[in-house]
Amino acid sequence: MRIEIRSAHVFGMTPRETARAVEWAESGWLYALGLLNSGHHAGFTVVFGSGTVAEWSVRPLRYLELRTTDDLARHVERTHPRPELSS
């Protein structure tokens, strides 16, 4: 995202927007990283000289652990052992 924002000035950003983009790419991304680490989304918007608006946004990713049925069977066996049957 930082690289895209840094290079977007070639698409016709105004000098003010270019300064904002460079400042965000230099240090503003640290605030965005803090937001992501705390579970919030972050973004950055610029307006080009033509009036076109570009927005970059990122959201935190939550991982879901995928297991095979064999993994699940071993987990269930460890956490819920079957009672031994007496004969």
Side-chain angles (χ1 to χ4, degrees), residues 1 46 50 52:
M1 191 167 136
V46 295
S50 65
T52 303

Side-chain angles (χ1 to χ4, degrees), residues 21-58:
V22 168
E23 192 244 320
W24 189 92
E26 296 287 322
S27 61
W29 66 273
L30 293 169
Y31 179 72
L33 186 60
L35 286 172
L36 289 170
N37 285 331
S38 66
H40 296 86
H41 71 277
F44 185 77
T45 303
V46 295
V47 180
F48 296 105
S50 65
T52 303
V53 176
E55 181 177 22
W56 291 264
S57 63
V58 290

